[in-house]
Amino acid sequence: MTRLDFPEGFTWGAATAAYQIEGSPAADGRGPSIWDTFAHTPGLVANGDTGDVAADHYRRFPADVALMADLGLPAYRFSVSWPRIQPGGKGPANPAGLGHYARLVDELLSRGITPMLTLYHWDLPQELEDAGGWGARDTAFRFAEYADLVAARLGDRVPIWTTLNEPWCAAFLGYASGEHAPGRTDPALSLRAAHHLLLAHGLGASALRSALPAGTQVSITLNLCAVMPGATSAEATAAVRRIDGLGNRLFLDPLFRGHYPVDVRHDTGGLTDWSFVEDGDLEAISAPLDLLGINYYTPTLVDAGPPVAGPSPWPACADVRFVSQPGPATAMGWAIDAQGLRNVVHRVHEEYAPIPLMITENGAAFDDELGSDGGVRDHERISYLREHLAVVHEAIESGVDLRGYFVWSLLDNFEWAYGYSKRFGIVHVDYPTQRRVWKDSAHWYRQVISTNGIDT
Ligand code: IFM
C-alpha cells in the first residue's frame, strides 16, 4: 500500500447544484426556470421525474450542512438559482431568494465550511428563454446584472465565485442536441449560445470584480474532454482535432488567449458566419481569472464514421463517430479511466498556464443499493475516487498548480434527463422519506479529508 499525502491547505470539498437538490420550485417567490418547463414536458426526462422535490434541500439545508460538518468537509460548492433571485430574469432582487442563500452561507460559515458559489448551473429563468435564451445577446447583460445582485449581498462572505458551470453543456446539450433544457435542436443557434454564455462569463466576471472585496477569487468551470483517437488513422486524428476544438479550445482559447480557434470557425462556417462576435467581446471574455475549475468524469474516444443524421451536441461533426472504450464503466455507461483526468490537467497546465486549477467535479454513478444492514457498500465508487485522486496527487507532484478537489456529489440528486435513475452521491437519499444515509464512500472520504491523503 502506498500513502499519498496532499499538500497542506489543499481544498477538499463536495459539490451540488440548485435544481438538482433544492426542490421547492415556488417557494419565496421563485420564478420558473427552463428546467421546470423541460422536466414538466412529457417524455423529456426519464420516468417523468422533475426537480419539484429533489432532495428537498431548500427546506432541509440546516440538516444537510450539519451532515457536511460531520463529514469534516472544509468546502462546499453549490449554485444559486437565478429565478430565485430574479424570478423573471431581470429587475430588482427578490429579497426572500437572496435571504435563503445568505442563511445557507451563514450556516456553512458557522460550521467552518468555506462556501464556493456558482452563479449559473443551467437554470435560466424561463422568461429569458422566452426572449431568446442564450441565443439572445441580451441574456449575457442580464447575467451580469444578476451577478451584481448576488455579489452585493454575499460578497463579504463567499471567497470563491464561479460564473458558469459547464457552458459546453448549456450551449450544446441545450440548443443543439436538445437533451437538456431548453431542448432546442438548432446547431447554428448553439454556437451563438456558446458565445453568449462566454460573453455572460466575461461581463459577469467584470461585475463580480467591481462588487467583491479584493482577494475574492473569480473563476469559471469547464467540462473539458480528454479526447483520444479510437483508431490509428488520419481520419481519427482529424476527428480528435474537431472534438477537441468544440469541446475544449472553443472555451479555453477565448478565455485564455482572447480569440476563437480558427479551425473551429472554419469547420462550422457552413452553419454560421460568427457575426455574433462583436468588437470588445473577446476582451471581456479573456479578462484574467484567479482559478479555472475542471469537471472530469470519463475520456472521449473518437474516430471517423459514416455521417449520422439527427440532432447531435457536436455541430458540423456528423461524420465523427464516438467509440466506446472497453473495460469498466459507471452506471452512466461512462468508461472509467483516470488517465483522461491526467491528460486534461496537464494539457491545461502546459498550454494555458499560468492558471491555478481546481477539480470542481469528479465522481461516478453506480446502481447503489441500501443493504439490509442499512449501509450502502459502494466500493466501486471508492475505487473510482481513489484512482482519480491518485492522478490529482501525481499532477501536483509534477508541478501543476492544482488547489482542490470537489467530489460530485454530496447527495444523490436529479441527474437531468436521467431524473433520479442515476445516483452520484456519496450520501444516499431515500426519496420517499428524504432520509440521508452515508454510503461507504462518504465514510472513506471523511477519512481522506481528516488525514489529508489516500492509501492506494
Ligand atoms: O450532474 C452533473 C452536473 O450537474 C454537471 N456535471 C456532470 C454531473 C454528472 O452528469
PDB file of all heavy atoms in Angstrom, residues 4 6 10 12 338 341 362 383-395 405 444-445 448 453-454 456:
ATOM      1  N   LEU A   4      -0.375   8.479  -0.147  1.00  0.00           N
ATOM      2  CA  LEU A   4      -0.190   9.728  -0.892  1.00  0.00           C
ATOM      3  C   LEU A   4      -0.722  10.887  -0.049  1.00  0.00           C
ATOM      4  O   LEU A   4      -1.934  10.985   0.182  1.00  0.00           O
ATOM      5  CB  LEU A   4      -0.937   9.669  -2.229  1.00  0.00           C
ATOM      6  CG  LEU A   4      -0.575   8.523  -3.183  1.00  0.00           C
ATOM      7  CD1 LEU A   4      -1.437   8.576  -4.448  1.00  0.00           C
ATOM      8  CD2 LEU A   4       0.909   8.578  -3.560  1.00  0.00           C
ATOM      9  N   PHE A   6      -1.448  14.825   0.581  1.00  0.00           N
ATOM     10  CA  PHE A   6      -1.701  16.032  -0.213  1.00  0.00           C
ATOM     11  C   PHE A   6      -1.070  17.240   0.487  1.00  0.00           C
ATOM     12  O   PHE A   6      -0.870  17.226   1.700  1.00  0.00           O
ATOM     13  CB  PHE A   6      -3.209  16.211  -0.423  1.00  0.00           C
ATOM     14  CG  PHE A   6      -3.733  15.310  -1.520  1.00  0.00           C
ATOM     15  CD1 PHE A   6      -3.801  13.930  -1.335  1.00  0.00           C
ATOM     16  CD2 PHE A   6      -4.098  15.828  -2.750  1.00  0.00           C
ATOM     17  CE1 PHE A   6      -4.244  13.090  -2.350  1.00  0.00           C
ATOM     18  CE2 PHE A   6      -4.539  14.998  -3.774  1.00  0.00           C
ATOM     19  CZ  PHE A   6      -4.613  13.624  -3.574  1.00  0.00           C
ATOM     20  N   PHE A  10      -4.566  22.047   0.843  1.00  0.00           N
ATOM     21  CA  PHE A  10      -5.333  21.540  -0.292  1.00  0.00           C
ATOM     22  C   PHE A  10      -6.817  21.579   0.095  1.00  0.00           C
ATOM     23  O   PHE A  10      -7.188  21.197   1.202  1.00  0.00           O
ATOM     24  CB  PHE A  10      -4.896  20.100  -0.602  1.00  0.00           C
ATOM     25  CG  PHE A  10      -5.547  19.509  -1.824  1.00  0.00           C
ATOM     26  CD1 PHE A  10      -5.118  19.863  -3.084  1.00  0.00           C
ATOM     27  CD2 PHE A  10      -6.598  18.602  -1.700  1.00  0.00           C
ATOM     28  CE1 PHE A  10      -5.714  19.323  -4.223  1.00  0.00           C
ATOM     29  CE2 PHE A  10      -7.202  18.055  -2.826  1.00  0.00           C
ATOM     30  CZ  PHE A  10      -6.756  18.426  -4.088  1.00  0.00           C
ATOM     31  N   TRP A  12     -10.443  20.307   0.133  1.00  0.00           N
ATOM     32  CA  TRP A  12     -11.328  19.159  -0.088  1.00  0.00           C
ATOM     33  C   TRP A  12     -12.765  19.640  -0.028  1.00  0.00           C
ATOM     34  O   TRP A  12     -13.113  20.414   0.869  1.00  0.00           O
ATOM     35  CB  TRP A  12     -11.133  18.092   1.004  1.00  0.00           C
ATOM     36  CG  TRP A  12      -9.768  17.500   1.035  1.00  0.00           C
ATOM     37  CD1 TRP A  12      -8.763  17.807   1.909  1.00  0.00           C
ATOM     38  CD2 TRP A  12      -9.255  16.485   0.164  1.00  0.00           C
ATOM     39  NE1 TRP A  12      -7.647  17.048   1.642  1.00  0.00           N
ATOM     40  CE2 TRP A  12      -7.930  16.223   0.569  1.00  0.00           C
ATOM     41  CE3 TRP A  12      -9.779  15.776  -0.916  1.00  0.00           C
ATOM     42  CZ2 TRP A  12      -7.126  15.281  -0.064  1.00  0.00           C
ATOM     43  CZ3 TRP A  12      -8.981  14.840  -1.549  1.00  0.00           C
ATOM     44  CH2 TRP A  12      -7.674  14.598  -1.131  1.00  0.00           C
ATOM     45  N   ALA A 338      -8.896   7.096 -15.304  1.00  0.00           N
ATOM     46  CA  ALA A 338      -8.346   8.297 -14.669  1.00  0.00           C
ATOM     47  C   ALA A 338      -7.242   8.933 -15.515  1.00  0.00           C
ATOM     48  O   ALA A 338      -6.858  10.082 -15.274  1.00  0.00           O
ATOM     49  CB  ALA A 338      -7.822   7.955 -13.277  1.00  0.00           C
ATOM     50  N   LEU A 341      -8.165  12.238 -16.884  1.00  0.00           N
ATOM     51  CA  LEU A 341      -8.001  13.394 -15.998  1.00  0.00           C
ATOM     52  C   LEU A 341      -6.567  13.914 -16.073  1.00  0.00           C
ATOM     53  O   LEU A 341      -6.321  15.120 -16.142  1.00  0.00           O
ATOM     54  CB  LEU A 341      -8.367  13.004 -14.554  1.00  0.00           C
ATOM     55  CG  LEU A 341      -8.215  14.116 -13.511  1.00  0.00           C
ATOM     56  CD1 LEU A 341      -9.099  15.314 -13.829  1.00  0.00           C
ATOM     57  CD2 LEU A 341      -8.563  13.582 -12.116  1.00  0.00           C
ATOM     58  N   ASN A 362     -15.909  15.592  -9.831  1.00  0.00           N
ATOM     59  CA  ASN A 362     -15.413  14.286 -10.267  1.00  0.00           C
ATOM     60  C   ASN A 362     -16.154  13.266  -9.413  1.00  0.00           C
ATOM     61  O   ASN A 362     -16.312  13.455  -8.212  1.00  0.00           O
ATOM     62  CB  ASN A 362     -13.894  14.192 -10.028  1.00  0.00           C
ATOM     63  CG  ASN A 362     -13.316  12.822 -10.376  1.00  0.00           C
ATOM     64  OD1 ASN A 362     -12.744  12.145  -9.523  1.00  0.00           O
ATOM     65  ND2 ASN A 362     -13.461  12.411 -11.605  1.00  0.00           N
ATOM     66  N   SER A 383     -13.211   3.063  -5.337  1.00  0.00           N
ATOM     67  CA  SER A 383     -12.080   2.807  -6.254  1.00  0.00           C
ATOM     68  C   SER A 383     -11.964   3.920  -7.285  1.00  0.00           C
ATOM     69  O   SER A 383     -10.866   4.392  -7.604  1.00  0.00           O
ATOM     70  CB  SER A 383     -12.274   1.505  -7.033  1.00  0.00           C
ATOM     71  OG  SER A 383     -12.393   0.464  -6.153  1.00  0.00           O
ATOM     72  N   TYR A 384     -13.117   4.322  -7.815  1.00  0.00           N
ATOM     73  CA  TYR A 384     -13.119   5.395  -8.817  1.00  0.00           C
ATOM     74  C   TYR A 384     -12.474   6.653  -8.226  1.00  0.00           C
ATOM     75  O   TYR A 384     -11.577   7.261  -8.820  1.00  0.00           O
ATOM     76  CB  TYR A 384     -14.561   5.686  -9.262  1.00  0.00           C
ATOM     77  CG  TYR A 384     -14.691   6.804 -10.265  1.00  0.00           C
ATOM     78  CD1 TYR A 384     -14.858   6.535 -11.623  1.00  0.00           C
ATOM     79  CD2 TYR A 384     -14.644   8.148  -9.879  1.00  0.00           C
ATOM     80  CE1 TYR A 384     -14.971   7.565 -12.548  1.00  0.00           C
ATOM     81  CE2 TYR A 384     -14.752   9.180 -10.789  1.00  0.00           C
ATOM     82  CZ  TYR A 384     -14.916   8.882 -12.125  1.00  0.00           C
ATOM     83  OH  TYR A 384     -15.020   9.903 -13.042  1.00  0.00           O
ATOM     84  N   LEU A 385     -12.934   7.033  -7.043  1.00  0.00           N
ATOM     85  CA  LEU A 385     -12.433   8.276  -6.442  1.00  0.00           C
ATOM     86  C   LEU A 385     -10.942   8.147  -6.117  1.00  0.00           C
ATOM     87  O   LEU A 385     -10.158   9.076  -6.368  1.00  0.00           O
ATOM     88  CB  LEU A 385     -13.232   8.619  -5.178  1.00  0.00           C
ATOM     89  CG  LEU A 385     -14.731   8.896  -5.392  1.00  0.00           C
ATOM     90  CD1 LEU A 385     -15.432   9.113  -4.057  1.00  0.00           C
ATOM     91  CD2 LEU A 385     -14.956  10.103  -6.302  1.00  0.00           C
ATOM     92  N   ARG A 386     -10.564   6.992  -5.617  1.00  0.00           N
ATOM     93  CA  ARG A 386      -9.151   6.799  -5.247  1.00  0.00           C
ATOM     94  C   ARG A 386      -8.249   6.911  -6.483  1.00  0.00           C
ATOM     95  O   ARG A 386      -7.215   7.578  -6.456  1.00  0.00           O
ATOM     96  CB  ARG A 386      -8.989   5.433  -4.586  1.00  0.00           C
ATOM     97  CG  ARG A 386      -7.603   5.243  -4.000  1.00  0.00           C
ATOM     98  CD  ARG A 386      -7.325   3.823  -3.576  1.00  0.00           C
ATOM     99  NE  ARG A 386      -7.944   3.459  -2.321  1.00  0.00           N
ATOM    100  CZ  ARG A 386      -8.874   2.500  -2.177  1.00  0.00           C
ATOM    101  NH1 ARG A 386      -9.292   1.819  -3.229  1.00  0.00           N
ATOM    102  NH2 ARG A 386      -9.360   2.209  -0.990  1.00  0.00           N
ATOM    103  N   GLU A 387      -8.666   6.260  -7.573  1.00  0.00           N
ATOM    104  CA  GLU A 387      -7.843   6.315  -8.799  1.00  0.00           C
ATOM    105  C   GLU A 387      -7.696   7.748  -9.312  1.00  0.00           C
ATOM    106  O   GLU A 387      -6.622   8.157  -9.765  1.00  0.00           O
ATOM    107  CB  GLU A 387      -8.504   5.494  -9.919  1.00  0.00           C
ATOM    108  CG  GLU A 387      -8.308   3.997  -9.783  1.00  0.00           C
ATOM    109  CD  GLU A 387      -9.253   3.207 -10.690  1.00  0.00           C
ATOM    110  OE1 GLU A 387      -9.636   3.715 -11.763  1.00  0.00           O
ATOM    111  OE2 GLU A 387      -9.618   2.081 -10.308  1.00  0.00           O
ATOM    112  N   HIS A 388      -8.794   8.480  -9.247  1.00  0.00           N
ATOM    113  CA  HIS A 388      -8.723   9.848  -9.763  1.00  0.00           C
ATOM    114  C   HIS A 388      -7.930  10.755  -8.826  1.00  0.00           C
ATOM    115  O   HIS A 388      -7.196  11.636  -9.277  1.00  0.00           O
ATOM    116  CB  HIS A 388     -10.141  10.384 -10.047  1.00  0.00           C
ATOM    117  CG  HIS A 388     -10.749   9.737 -11.269  1.00  0.00           C
ATOM    118  ND1 HIS A 388     -11.254   8.454 -11.250  1.00  0.00           N
ATOM    119  CD2 HIS A 388     -10.863  10.165 -12.554  1.00  0.00           C
ATOM    120  CE1 HIS A 388     -11.678   8.131 -12.466  1.00  0.00           C
ATOM    121  NE2 HIS A 388     -11.451   9.157 -13.276  1.00  0.00           N
ATOM    122  N   LEU A 389      -8.051  10.497  -7.538  1.00  0.00           N
ATOM    123  CA  LEU A 389      -7.264  11.303  -6.585  1.00  0.00           C
ATOM    124  C   LEU A 389      -5.772  11.008  -6.713  1.00  0.00           C
ATOM    125  O   LEU A 389      -4.942  11.898  -6.495  1.00  0.00           O
ATOM    126  CB  LEU A 389      -7.755  11.058  -5.158  1.00  0.00           C
ATOM    127  CG  LEU A 389      -9.002  11.868  -4.798  1.00  0.00           C
ATOM    128  CD1 LEU A 389      -9.569  11.428  -3.453  1.00  0.00           C
ATOM    129  CD2 LEU A 389      -8.676  13.367  -4.772  1.00  0.00           C
ATOM    130  N   ALA A 390      -5.430   9.773  -7.065  1.00  0.00           N
ATOM    131  CA  ALA A 390      -4.013   9.454  -7.264  1.00  0.00           C
ATOM    132  C   ALA A 390      -3.462  10.288  -8.427  1.00  0.00           C
ATOM    133  O   ALA A 390      -2.320  10.774  -8.374  1.00  0.00           O
ATOM    134  CB  ALA A 390      -3.841   7.960  -7.532  1.00  0.00           C
ATOM    135  N   VAL A 391      -4.280  10.484  -9.448  1.00  0.00           N
ATOM    136  CA  VAL A 391      -3.852  11.317 -10.581  1.00  0.00           C
ATOM    137  C   VAL A 391      -3.724  12.782 -10.158  1.00  0.00           C
ATOM    138  O   VAL A 391      -2.780  13.484 -10.556  1.00  0.00           O
ATOM    139  CB  VAL A 391      -4.852  11.158 -11.755  1.00  0.00           C
ATOM    140  CG1 VAL A 391      -4.682  12.253 -12.784  1.00  0.00           C
ATOM    141  CG2 VAL A 391      -4.694   9.787 -12.388  1.00  0.00           C
ATOM    142  N   VAL A 392      -4.639  13.240  -9.327  1.00  0.00           N
ATOM    143  CA  VAL A 392      -4.557  14.616  -8.822  1.00  0.00           C
ATOM    144  C   VAL A 392      -3.245  14.783  -8.051  1.00  0.00           C
ATOM    145  O   VAL A 392      -2.499  15.764  -8.241  1.00  0.00           O
ATOM    146  CB  VAL A 392      -5.770  14.925  -7.905  1.00  0.00           C
ATOM    147  CG1 VAL A 392      -5.580  16.257  -7.181  1.00  0.00           C
ATOM    148  CG2 VAL A 392      -7.064  14.941  -8.713  1.00  0.00           C
ATOM    149  N   HIS A 393      -2.940  13.813  -7.215  1.00  0.00           N
ATOM    150  CA  HIS A 393      -1.712  13.866  -6.420  1.00  0.00           C
ATOM    151  C   HIS A 393      -0.482  13.911  -7.322  1.00  0.00           C
ATOM    152  O   HIS A 393       0.423  14.732  -7.148  1.00  0.00           O
ATOM    153  CB  HIS A 393      -1.655  12.649  -5.491  1.00  0.00           C
ATOM    154  CG  HIS A 393      -0.497  12.672  -4.558  1.00  0.00           C
ATOM    155  ND1 HIS A 393       0.739  12.139  -4.876  1.00  0.00           N
ATOM    156  CD2 HIS A 393      -0.362  13.207  -3.320  1.00  0.00           C
ATOM    157  CE1 HIS A 393       1.568  12.328  -3.874  1.00  0.00           C
ATOM    158  NE2 HIS A 393       0.930  12.970  -2.919  1.00  0.00           N
ATOM    159  N   GLU A 394      -0.495  13.047  -8.303  1.00  0.00           N
ATOM    160  CA  GLU A 394       0.647  12.978  -9.223  1.00  0.00           C
ATOM    161  C   GLU A 394       0.818  14.302  -9.985  1.00  0.00           C
ATOM    162  O   GLU A 394       1.942  14.766 -10.180  1.00  0.00           O
ATOM    163  CB  GLU A 394       0.384  11.831 -10.203  1.00  0.00           C
ATOM    164  CG  GLU A 394       1.490  11.568 -11.183  1.00  0.00           C
ATOM    165  CD  GLU A 394       0.920  10.885 -12.406  1.00  0.00           C
ATOM    166  OE1 GLU A 394       0.718   9.661 -12.365  1.00  0.00           O
ATOM    167  OE2 GLU A 394       0.649  11.588 -13.400  1.00  0.00           O
ATOM    168  N   ALA A 395      -0.306  14.898 -10.377  1.00  0.00           N
ATOM    169  CA  ALA A 395      -0.225  16.179 -11.102  1.00  0.00           C
ATOM    170  C   ALA A 395       0.410  17.242 -10.205  1.00  0.00           C
ATOM    171  O   ALA A 395       1.266  18.018 -10.647  1.00  0.00           O
ATOM    172  CB  ALA A 395      -1.615  16.613 -11.552  1.00  0.00           C
ATOM    173  N   TYR A 405     -10.176  19.714  -4.731  1.00  0.00           N
ATOM    174  CA  TYR A 405     -10.929  18.613  -5.341  1.00  0.00           C
ATOM    175  C   TYR A 405     -12.317  18.574  -4.709  1.00  0.00           C
ATOM    176  O   TYR A 405     -12.442  18.522  -3.484  1.00  0.00           O
ATOM    177  CB  TYR A 405     -10.197  17.297  -5.070  1.00  0.00           C
ATOM    178  CG  TYR A 405     -10.908  16.065  -5.569  1.00  0.00           C
ATOM    179  CD1 TYR A 405     -10.648  15.542  -6.839  1.00  0.00           C
ATOM    180  CD2 TYR A 405     -11.850  15.404  -4.766  1.00  0.00           C
ATOM    181  CE1 TYR A 405     -11.305  14.408  -7.295  1.00  0.00           C
ATOM    182  CE2 TYR A 405     -12.499  14.263  -5.225  1.00  0.00           C
ATOM    183  CZ  TYR A 405     -12.221  13.780  -6.488  1.00  0.00           C
ATOM    184  OH  TYR A 405     -12.866  12.659  -6.943  1.00  0.00           O
ATOM    185  N   TRP A 444     -15.344   6.792   3.737  1.00  0.00           N
ATOM    186  CA  TRP A 444     -13.977   6.794   3.183  1.00  0.00           C
ATOM    187  C   TRP A 444     -13.501   8.236   2.948  1.00  0.00           C
ATOM    188  O   TRP A 444     -12.375   8.613   3.304  1.00  0.00           O
ATOM    189  CB  TRP A 444     -13.983   5.985   1.884  1.00  0.00           C
ATOM    190  CG  TRP A 444     -12.676   5.982   1.164  1.00  0.00           C
ATOM    191  CD1 TRP A 444     -11.600   5.179   1.393  1.00  0.00           C
ATOM    192  CD2 TRP A 444     -12.305   6.850   0.067  1.00  0.00           C
ATOM    193  NE1 TRP A 444     -10.575   5.486   0.515  1.00  0.00           N
ATOM    194  CE2 TRP A 444     -10.987   6.505  -0.305  1.00  0.00           C
ATOM    195  CE3 TRP A 444     -12.960   7.871  -0.624  1.00  0.00           C
ATOM    196  CZ2 TRP A 444     -10.322   7.149  -1.344  1.00  0.00           C
ATOM    197  CZ3 TRP A 444     -12.285   8.520  -1.659  1.00  0.00           C
ATOM    198  CH2 TRP A 444     -10.981   8.147  -2.005  1.00  0.00           C
ATOM    199  N   TYR A 445     -14.377   9.067   2.371  1.00  0.00           N
ATOM    200  CA  TYR A 445     -13.983  10.443   2.042  1.00  0.00           C
ATOM    201  C   TYR A 445     -13.709  11.239   3.324  1.00  0.00           C
ATOM    202  O   TYR A 445     -12.802  12.072   3.377  1.00  0.00           O
ATOM    203  CB  TYR A 445     -15.080  11.105   1.207  1.00  0.00           C
ATOM    204  CG  TYR A 445     -14.650  12.365   0.478  1.00  0.00           C
ATOM    205  CD1 TYR A 445     -13.478  12.405  -0.269  1.00  0.00           C
ATOM    206  CD2 TYR A 445     -15.425  13.522   0.527  1.00  0.00           C
ATOM    207  CE1 TYR A 445     -13.085  13.558  -0.942  1.00  0.00           C
ATOM    208  CE2 TYR A 445     -15.047  14.684  -0.135  1.00  0.00           C
ATOM    209  CZ  TYR A 445     -13.876  14.698  -0.873  1.00  0.00           C
ATOM    210  OH  TYR A 445     -13.492  15.838  -1.541  1.00  0.00           O
ATOM    211  N   VAL A 448     -10.266  10.440   4.210  1.00  0.00           N
ATOM    212  CA  VAL A 448      -9.341  11.113   3.285  1.00  0.00           C
ATOM    213  C   VAL A 448      -9.141  12.564   3.731  1.00  0.00           C
ATOM    214  O   VAL A 448      -8.016  13.062   3.825  1.00  0.00           O
ATOM    215  CB  VAL A 448      -9.899  11.070   1.838  1.00  0.00           C
ATOM    216  CG1 VAL A 448      -9.102  11.973   0.904  1.00  0.00           C
ATOM    217  CG2 VAL A 448      -9.930   9.646   1.315  1.00  0.00           C
ATOM    218  N   GLY A 453      -5.041  12.734   2.804  1.00  0.00           N
ATOM    219  CA  GLY A 453      -4.353  11.874   1.846  1.00  0.00           C
ATOM    220  C   GLY A 453      -5.090  10.570   1.618  1.00  0.00           C
ATOM    221  O   GLY A 453      -6.145  10.316   2.220  1.00  0.00           O
ATOM    222  N   ILE A 454      -4.556   9.773   0.710  1.00  0.00           N
ATOM    223  CA  ILE A 454      -5.183   8.484   0.381  1.00  0.00           C
ATOM    224  C   ILE A 454      -4.141   7.357   0.458  1.00  0.00           C
ATOM    225  O   ILE A 454      -2.950   7.584   0.291  1.00  0.00           O
ATOM    226  CB  ILE A 454      -5.790   8.475  -1.039  1.00  0.00           C
ATOM    227  CG1 ILE A 454      -4.752   8.867  -2.111  1.00  0.00           C
ATOM    228  CG2 ILE A 454      -6.992   9.384  -1.122  1.00  0.00           C
ATOM    229  CD1 ILE A 454      -5.233   8.647  -3.531  1.00  0.00           C
ATOM    230  N   THR A 456      -3.256   3.978  -1.542  1.00  0.00           N
ATOM    231  CA  THR A 456      -3.605   3.361  -2.830  1.00  0.00           C
ATOM    232  C   THR A 456      -3.198   1.891  -2.859  1.00  0.00           C
ATOM    233  O   THR A 456      -2.352   1.458  -2.091  1.00  0.00           O
ATOM    234  CB  THR A 456      -2.927   4.085  -4.013  1.00  0.00           C
ATOM    235  OG1 THR A 456      -1.530   4.027  -3.807  1.00  0.00           O
ATOM    236  CG2 THR A 456      -3.404   5.498  -4.117  1.00  0.00           C
TER     237      THR A 456
END
